[in-house]
Amino acid sequence: GIIIVGAGRIFRVFGGTLEQTGGGFSGTGELDLQDATVIGSDFQHAAGMNMRLRNSTIAANLSNEGFVWVASASAISGGLVTLPGSTIRIATDGAVGSSTLTVSSGFTNFGTIELSSIGSTYGSTLDVGSGTLVNDAVGIINVLPRNN
């Protein structure tokens, strides 16, 4: 089913497992996954929705239309689709050390991927485990200057 998170609201999974069997998240709120795992088949992250991954794993096929912020070490072990208008930002802010997103298999980027370091000397990494990262003609990979 679909979980709708309204504006100014946060749906938080802390230290547990969320099984999402089809559907996904929509609304204009935020999905906050900390030390958590999402399992299931297909997981849709709708446009206008924010997701924060902190030491978490999405063990499902993720279709991203929204904004995903990765802090610390997180992984997507299912397939990944980044649609036009979507953003994945892998960023460290000095409080979490380095930030890494590991995607288990290759994918084609149709959205925006940003690597950032805000107020920190730590780095941000996108690790594609196997296969190839293809940046489509409409895809953007933006390595932002260190801001500290």
Side-chain angles (χ1 to χ4, degrees):
I2 296 175
I3 298 173
I4 301 170
V5 183
R9 299 295 188 192
I10 299 171
F11 183 90
R12 182 171 285 132
V13 180
F14 184 82
T17 299
L18 170 66
E19 183 173 356
Q20 184 67 20
T21 55
F25 283 82
S26 69
T28 55
E30 181 175 322
L31 169 62
D32 185 3
L33 301 172
Q34 183 172 350
D35 300 315
T37 301
V38 176
I39 62 174
S41 53
D42 295 322
F43 180 69
Q44 182 177 358
H45 179 62
M49 186 84 189
N50 294 318
M51 181 189 326
R52 176 181 266 189
L53 295 175
R54 295 181 286 177
N55 291 320
S56 294
T57 298
I58 297 177
N61 295 322
L62 174 63
S63 176
N64 183 40
E65 297 178 62
F67 180 85
V68 177
W69 180 42
V70 178
S72 297
S74 292
I76 299 170
S77 61
L80 174 61
V81 175
T82 60
L83 297 167
S86 70
T87 299
I88 295 177
R89 177 177 294 154
I90 306 160
T92 183
D93 61 9
V96 297
S98 298
S99 290
T100 300
L101 175 62
T102 301
V103 181
S104 63
S105 59
F107 66 98
T108 300
N109 177 42
F110 295 98
T112 299
I113 298 172
E114 297 178 342
L115 290 101
S116 169
S117 178
I118 302 167
S120 170
T121 57
Y122 293 105
S124 298
T125 304
L126 173 63
D127 179 12
V128 179
S130 66
T132 302
L133 166 59
V134 176
N135 196 41
D136 188 78
V138 298
I140 298 169
I141 298 176
N142 193 1
V143 181
L144 301 169
R146 182 169 288 153
N147 180 3
N148 51 340

